[in-house]
Amino acid sequence: MERDMPYTPAIAAATAPAYEKVKAIIPAIEWPVHAPYVHAINQLKREKNAVILAHNYMTPEIFHCVADFVGDSLQLAREAAKTDAAVIVQAGVHFMAETSKILSPDKTVLIPDLEAGCSLAASITAADIALLRERFPGVPVVTYVNTSAEVKAASDICCTSSNALDVVESLPGDTVLMLPDEFLAQNIARQTRKKVLTWAGHCEVHERFSGAEIRRYREMHPGVVVLAHPECPPDVVAEADFAGSTSAMIAYVGDRRPKRVVMVTECSMSDNVAVNYPDVEFVRPCNLCPHMKRITLEKILRSLETMTHEVTVDPVVAKKAKEAVDRMLAVPLRDAVRKAA
Ligand code: 13P
Ligand code: SF4
């Protein structure tokens, strides 16, 4: 239930620059609902020395109006490691908040909704990794950051969608275990000589796209450039013009300015990017992530007011998980914007 937050002339004036940024995507009739929250959050952030780290899948009023840093999973992790704010509010899902806590153990890390999970993170446990290690002794274990702290702690190194190939190729030997995203692993396997063993985890948002659907977009929207996230099934990536992390897709639009584009990923991406590129036509089929969409302005405000929900990680687990995340952060990125194989 939204609380009663009056839209006063003072709030209208204070939030006018924020509305200017999003007016192409948020109708004027909706702004009086968002503006009081935007105003209160931005004030409270300063009072509490807090920063809001927002994933690219946050809705435009969060992404453009209250976030201090926006980005993909790798960029948010790097930001969490270097921020000097006392409080991090993670506008994203739980594994992202845990990663921030692992990298900044002395800071207070808050998540506005504890139920913001992830189907990939839910697909594997540390006990599963122990069994895989018994079955494949000596094979390095790479885990996607979309996992719990315990799973990270049981791994040799983490990866994200923007550095997965670089991480896999940085490892010794000719075989890797790449967990838990089966499709990301299959998409990487097509770009490396290494044997990639995987797990049957899927992103519930990206697994719903199909190659046939991409062919339909091309028929219906001639000339459309197709950008896909590597969590999509391999037949989708094969049909795409480019596959990359959420930020790599944004960079593609910024650098190449396609006339017409479809972002084969979560719905808020196109909204957020369209704000900056009015000259680009965005074809909008997309799938919503119900976990990301749990984060709202109202919950961010409550989170800052009540300093909840604090995310904690057992220090022993956090130390081991940090080793896996730090190893990932030490791998140089060769090519942030990479073509689909
Ligand atoms: P990236 O933003 O790292 O590409 O990840 C996408 C995603 O689904 C995060 O949950
Ligand atoms: Fe997890 Fe997919 Fe949602 Fe990202 S989009 S949080 S991978 S379920």
Side-chain angles (χ1 to χ4, degrees), residues 3-322:
R3 50 176 137 156
D4 187 25
M5 297 279 284
Y7 182 58
T8 62
I11 288 177
T15 59
Y19 187 58
E20 195 53 34
K21 285 195 249 171
V22 290
K23 67 179 185 198
I25 201 83
I26 299 182
I29 198 165
E30 274 182 30
W31 187 243
V33 176
H34 298 309
Y37 289 101
V38 168
H39 186 57
I41 290 168
N42 285 331
Q43 272 188 331
L44 214 46
K45 261 185 350 192
R46 283 191 289 276
E47 280 167 33
K48 303 231 169 171
N49 188 16
V51 284
I52 298 182
L53 305 188
H55 187 261
N56 292 326
Y57 293 161
M58 290 294 105
T59 48
E61 66 278 9
I62 296 174
F63 185 92
H64 288 287
C65 303
V66 299
D68 296 284
F69 299 98
V70 293
D72 64 14
S73 311
L74 183 63
Q75 291 169 321
L76 296 182
R78 288 195 194 281
E79 206 51 60
K82 70 175 194 226
T83 181
D84 48 20
V87 179
I88 294 172
V89 180
Q90 198 82 37
V93 292
H94 194 263
F95 76 80
M96 295 178 174
E98 275 194 339
T99 306
S100 292
K101 185 66 186 177
I102 288 163
L103 289 167
S104 282
D106 300 334
K107 301 197 187 304
T108 301
V109 176
L110 305 176
I111 187 150
D113 188 326
L114 266 178
E115 306 273 299
C118 170
S119 63
L120 281 168
S123 74
I124 194 161
T125 64
D128 294 326
I129 297 201
L131 288 174
L132 287 167
R133 284 201 191 271
E134 272 176 32
R135 188 150 166 230
F136 301 102
V139 175
V141 174
V142 183
T143 55
Y144 200 26
V145 283
N146 299 37
T147 47
S148 67
E150 287 77 12
V151 166
K152 289 184 178 74
S155 318
D156 295 306
I157 187 166
C158 291
C159 75
T160 74
S161 58
S162 59
N163 61 13
L165 181 60
D166 296 315
V167 167
V168 164
E169 300 221 315
S170 75
L171 295 168
D174 57 7
T175 308
V176 295
L177 272 157
M178 195 172 181
L179 315 166
D181 188 338
E182 183 175 28
F183 296 147
L184 177 69
Q186 288 171 345
N187 288 323
I188 294 299
R190 294 173 60 211
Q191 303 172 60
T192 177
R193 287 175 178 278
K194 288 187 193 279
K195 184 168 178 196
V196 180
L197 306 173
T198 186
W199 186 253
H202 298 141
C203 162
E204 68 188 81
V205 173
H206 293 99
E207 71 176 348
R208 283 187 276 152
F209 294 106
S210 69
E213 196 177 337
I214 308 298
R215 290 193 291 280
R216 270 201 311 280
Y217 303 159
R218 290 200 193 275
E219 275 165 31
M220 289 164 60
H221 308 281
V224 72
V225 171
V226 179
L227 312 182
H229 195 276
E231 289 170 8
C232 291
D235 66 324
V236 173
V237 170
E239 293 284 345
D241 296 298
F242 173 81
S245 77
T246 53
S247 287
M249 284 192 255
I250 295 172
Y252 186 105
V253 174
D255 294 346
R256 315 261 183 113
R257 299 293 174 96
K259 273 202 174 65
R260 218 174 214 197
V261 71
V262 56
M263 292 182 144
V264 184
T265 189
E266 212 274 342
C267 301
S268 289
M269 277 278 289
S270 295
D271 294 343
N272 290 332
V273 187
V275 164
N276 294 328
Y277 303 107
D279 49 323
V280 177
E281 182 198 338
F282 287 81
V283 175
R284 305 277 178 123
C286 61
N287 291 326
L288 270 180
C289 174
H291 310 289
M292 291 280 182
K293 297 291 98 106
R294 283 183 172 276
I295 309 299
T296 61
L297 284 177
E298 189 189 8
K299 288 182 192 167
I300 292 173
L301 179 58
R302 196 179 321 126
S303 177
L304 277 165
E305 285 170 340
T306 59
M307 296 298 280
T308 55
H309 305 274
E310 187 167 354
V311 174
T312 54
V313 180
D314 175 277
V316 178
V317 173
K319 186 170 175 290
K320 291 220 73 186
K322 186 169 186 303

